[in-house]
Amino acid sequence: MDTFALVVTILVALFFTYTNGFHDSANAIATSVSTRALTPKAALAMAAVMNLAGAFLGSGVAKTVSEGLIETPEGSTGMGILFAALLGAITWNLVTWYFGLPSSSSHALFGGMVGAALAGGTQVYWDGVLEKVIIPMFVSPVVGLVVGYLVMTAIMWIFRRANPHKAKRSFRIAQTVSAAGMALGHGLQDAQKTMGIVVMALVIADVEDYGDPIPVWVKIACALMLSLGTYAGGWRIMRTLGRRIIELDPPQGFAAETTGASIMFTTAFLFKAPISTTHAITSAIMGVGATKRVNAVRWGVAKNIVLGWFITMPAAAIVAALAFGLVHLAFL
């Protein structure tokens, strides 16, 4: 039964990564597709490859997820907590995907972990949640907004005498690089989040010891599932990010992607903080768009997206707590 529970939990974790991939593929490529810098198929293929590469760039985020947010639970109850956390996250991913809302898969997972841990009587490290999740959740969109605005302002000043048509053509080419950077950052951040969950499951099942390095097969499995999910594509969310917030041109797309990618790499390597790729790119798009004129950004759409950010963690936590209750009744 223990082995069966471990296998099921790992499979559900990999399915979560798959939903994360198609939910968040828009983050990496919506801007380059909407500016016609890349065709959708080429953009998805590039994003899938870069997701795969990004997953192998570090392990700091995975360590934060597996050791820094909740106490590693034990036994069958512990496995039930992880299973319920993943169910909460997957449910929220599917709901927000259906409505085309670019909510955060990361915060759905963290909300699920906290909700299931509380329901299962496991200690939540509130300091870790505050420091590694809540504070970055508020800071990263503000940074994205401000840096996106400044990067776009700098581009406008540097190219103020350039031929507009030539500049746009050059930025279309440059966008393939910035979109690749976004996809690499997405792999670095989001594949590691699932690695952290799988490592927790292996520790609970006594297959791994606390603090052991992440097994290579875990890295490969999580990276592949994220890539497959990305290649499946999340067209509903792509429309929201690529067109409904603001109509982007290639220089704006380049500025937004460069800003988003920079935030993801900085937080992963410097702070080991698992931030939301959704928050990073969406706020960057808003900041870049505001350089046109403030009312060029469709703030009504932006407001709905931000509202989705705030309710993601509590909503996923409630679903995970209910899921744990059902798991407890049925199996524990």
Side-chain angles (χ1 to χ4, degrees):
M1 181 61 189
D2 285 350
T3 306
F4 177 73
L6 174 64
V7 170
V8 168
T9 303
I10 290 173
L11 289 175
V12 173
L14 292 176
F15 179 66
F16 166 75
T17 311
Y18 181 82
T19 67
N20 187 340
F22 76 68
H23 193 279
D24 287 5
S25 57
N27 298 339
I29 63 172
T31 49
S32 47
V33 170
S34 71
T35 61
R36 296 182 176 83
L38 292 167
T39 64
K41 278 196 171 173
L44 282 169
M46 178 274 295
V49 170
M50 298 309 278
N51 274 180
L52 195 62
F56 291 91
L57 287 182
S59 58
V61 170
K63 194 173 174 64
T64 296
V65 172
S66 64
E67 298 174 15
L69 303 179
I70 65 171
E71 184 183 17
T72 302
E74 293 180 357
S76 55
T77 302
M79 208 62 82
I81 286 170
L82 285 193
F83 181 76
L86 289 162
L87 277 188
I90 289 167
T91 302
W92 188 249
N93 270 359
L94 294 176
V95 168
T96 50
W97 166 79
Y98 181 79
F99 289 107
L101 267 182
S103 76
S104 167
S105 295
S106 311
H107 291 112
L109 179 61
F110 305 145
M113 287 173 72
V114 169
L118 290 173
T122 290
Q123 186 186 352
V124 175
Y125 299 140
W126 292 111
D127 285 353
V129 172
L130 180 68
E131 189 183 315
K132 298 292 186 182
V133 178
I134 306 293
I135 291 173
M137 182 170 95
F138 285 100
V139 172
S140 63
V142 174
V143 172
L145 197 72
V146 172
V147 175
Y149 183 89
L150 293 175
V151 168
M152 191 60 219
T153 303
I155 286 172
M156 285 159 65
W157 188 82
I158 292 164
F159 293 92
R160 66 193 183 281
R161 292 194 180 89
N163 178 304
H165 294 295
K166 278 186 180 172
K168 279 187 181 177
R169 200 160 54 240
S170 300
F171 274 106
R172 271 207 181 92
I173 296 163
Q175 259 201 284
T176 57
V177 179
S178 59
M182 270 299 299
L184 196 68
H186 183 214
L188 170 67
Q189 278 278 352
D190 284 21
Q192 282 193 52
K193 289 159 192 166
T194 310
M195 289 179 208
I197 293 289
V198 174
V199 165
M200 282 183 88
L202 294 171
V203 170
I204 291 168
D206 282 334
V207 176
E208 289 271 310
D209 288 326
Y210 190 81
D212 278 358
I214 301 166
V216 174
W217 70 265
V218 173
K219 290 187 178 185
I220 293 169
C222 293
L224 278 175
M225 289 306 284
L226 187 70
S227 293
L228 287 171
T230 296
Y231 193 69
W235 301 107
R236 289 171 184 266
I237 293 168
M238 212 173 290
R239 277 196 295 274
T240 302
L241 274 182
R243 291 285 166 91
R244 285 178 59 207
I245 298 175
I246 185 168
E247 296 280 345
L248 293 169
D249 61 21
Q252 291 171 327
F254 173 79
E257 287 168 343
T258 303
T259 300
S262 303
I263 291 168
M264 286 191 289
F265 284 112
T266 303
T267 49
F269 288 125
L270 283 188
F271 306 111
K272 298 179 175 49
I275 67 144
S276 165
T277 51
T278 311
H279 291 189
I281 190 63
T282 309
S283 58
I285 289 171
M286 291 178 200
V288 165
T291 58
K292 243 182 193 174
R293 59 185 189 282
V294 173
N295 62 358
V297 178
R298 297 184 184 109
W299 294 107
V301 176
K303 184 190 76 180
N304 290 342
I305 292 168
V306 172
L307 195 63
W309 294 353
F310 281 109
I311 61 172
T312 290
M313 275 188 76
I318 290 165
V319 175
L322 292 172
F324 179 78
L326 293 173
V327 169
H328 188 72
L329 281 174
F331 302 109
L332 302 176

